[in-house]
Amino acid sequence: MAVFEGAGVAIITPFHEDGSVNYEKLGELIDFQIEHKTDAIIICGTTGESATLTMDEHKAVIRYCVQHVAGRVPVVAGTGSNCTATAIELSQDAEKDGADALLIVTPYYNKATQKGLIEHYSMIAGSVKIPIIMYNVPSRTGCNILPETAVAIAKKNPNVVGIKDAVGNLSQTALMAHLADGCLDIYSGNDDEVLPCLSLGGKGVISVLSNVMPEETHNMVRDFLDGNVERAMKFQLDSIPLSKALFCEVNPIPVKAAMNLMGMEVGPLRRPLSEIAPENREKLRTVMTDMGLLK
């Protein structure tokens, strides 16, 4: 059984102006997502600026999210690290705090070999009992889980049940789906490739777009899975300009800017991320207005 089916939001982490985590606002965002049909909350992922959270903050944000969600939808906790021991510690704590599943990014910077990736994921999987979704985003990590490796990890470790595929190579996705033969749930990691992923047997998307359009993103996936392909395709194609605009600078710079434009007051970014350039803010504003998100 899949951890979730549909659109899970890669939720941002809101900060106060002094840079501290704004837990009250995080609670509001979680409620907003659930009220607008989001199928899962993915906390402390890339979009949540996990790389700038201290270990204590990382654990506290996951704990708060689990407690606030209170079982309404699955909580998938981002607990990956470029250090296997750190990933194990974060994963074990998230499991103790009640997370439903884990999202484990490939170890960044180290450039692990495929053998190293098998050992890394197997050690983490062996340290917990809850399901694990691998996260493959080589554009950010410099490390690509090859299809054969992803399937080998899943077959070796029964609790490795899925992969967030943000490679941007549908040929690789197709080969992985072929080799997995159902042993690995595939989630699109790119908002502009959701339907192609679903057409290859994918279960849904872990979405940046859902931060600003949760119900519409959920409906797109649900429509496709229910056979309403034309309606799903219309939103997929109509939302392409916004999906592109949300990556006009490195994620999550644009999505936080978009949420602030919508009046959500999610606060600043943590350095080394800087605020969006004025010209990109205006491009984003134009696209959002065209999508009906701004007046």
Side-chain angles (χ1 to χ4, degrees):
M1 183 176 176
V3 173
F4 73 94
E5 185 178 85
V9 61
I11 200 166
I12 64 104
T13 302
F15 296 119
H16 293 290
E17 288 303 318
D18 65 2
S20 59
V21 176
N22 186 340
Y23 287 99
E24 181 179 359
K25 178 60 65 173
L26 178 57
E28 292 176 12
L29 295 177
I30 290 169
D31 291 340
F32 169 77
Q33 288 293 324
I34 295 173
E35 288 164 7
H36 289 84
K37 299 185 180 180
T38 282
D39 297 289
I41 306 291
I42 290 78
I43 189 77
C44 289
T46 304
T47 312
E49 295 177 74
S50 57
T52 65
L53 298 175
T54 67
M55 181 73 88
D56 287 344
E57 285 175 326
H58 198 135
K59 295 176 181 180
V61 169
I62 291 170
R63 187 180 310 117
Y64 177 87
C65 181
V66 171
Q67 292 174 351
H68 193 85
V69 169
R72 289 177 286 173
V73 295
V75 173
V76 182
T79 55
S81 173
N82 62 338
C83 170
T84 304
T86 301
I88 288 172
E89 180 180 343
L90 286 169
S91 298
Q92 289 177 332
D93 272 31
E95 181 177 43
K96 290 174 186 173
D97 288 331
D100 297 286
L102 307 172
L103 181 70
I104 308 289
V105 71
T106 50
Y108 39 89
Y109 188 78
N110 294 328
K111 290 192 173 182
T113 64
Q114 298 301 300
K115 176 177 179 288
L117 289 173
I118 293 172
E119 293 177 358
H120 175 76
Y121 280 103
S122 296
M123 290 175 71
I124 298 168
S127 74
V128 295
K129 293 183 173 61
I130 57 176
I132 289 172
I133 299 172
M134 296 178 286
Y135 179 16
N136 195 20
V137 57
S139 64
R140 294 193 75 125
T141 64
C143 184
N144 183 18
I145 309 176
L146 296 178
E148 297 84 354
T149 303
V151 173
I153 292 168
K155 289 185 175 179
K156 182 178 180 180
N157 303 282
N159 59 331
V160 177
V161 300
I163 187 165
K164 177 184 176 183
D165 183 350
V167 176
N169 181 341
L170 289 172
S171 293
Q172 177 168 317
T173 306
L175 177 58
M176 182 167 58
H178 164 69
L179 295 174
D181 194 25
C183 79
L184 199 59
D185 293 328
I186 301 174
Y187 297 93
S188 175
N190 295 324
D191 284 306
D192 58 352
E193 295 180 350
V194 181
L195 263 60
C197 179
L198 293 174
S199 74
L200 294 169
K203 296 292 184 180
V205 59
I206 294 177
S207 171
V208 175
L209 179 62
S210 284
N211 280 283
V212 295
M213 300 190 78
E215 188 163 349
E216 295 86 347
T217 309
H218 160 87
N219 287 343
M220 172 180 61
V221 178
R222 192 71 263 159
D223 279 341
F224 185 91
L225 295 176
D226 289 345
N228 299 317
V229 175
E230 288 190 14
R231 188 162 62 187
M233 183 176 67
K234 185 179 188 313
F235 179 76
Q236 174 78 97
L237 297 180
D238 288 349
S239 65
I240 292 295
L242 180 55
S243 294
K244 295 297 185 185
L246 291 175
F247 285 84
C248 66
E249 294 186 24
V250 69
N251 180 48
I253 293 173
V255 72
K256 272 197 153 177
M259 296 173 80
N260 283 327
L261 285 170
M262 292 171 70
M264 292 185 175
E265 299 179 353
V266 300
L269 299 133
R270 281 190 174 177
R271 298 300 178 265
L273 298 183
S274 56
E275 299 303 319
I276 194 168
E279 62 271 22
N280 286 332
R281 183 187 300 276
E282 290 313 304
K283 290 178 185 176
L284 184 60
R285 186 193 300 274
T286 298
V287 174
M288 292 176 68
T289 300
D290 291 343
M291 291 292 292
L293 294 171
L294 301 175
K295 294 181 179 179

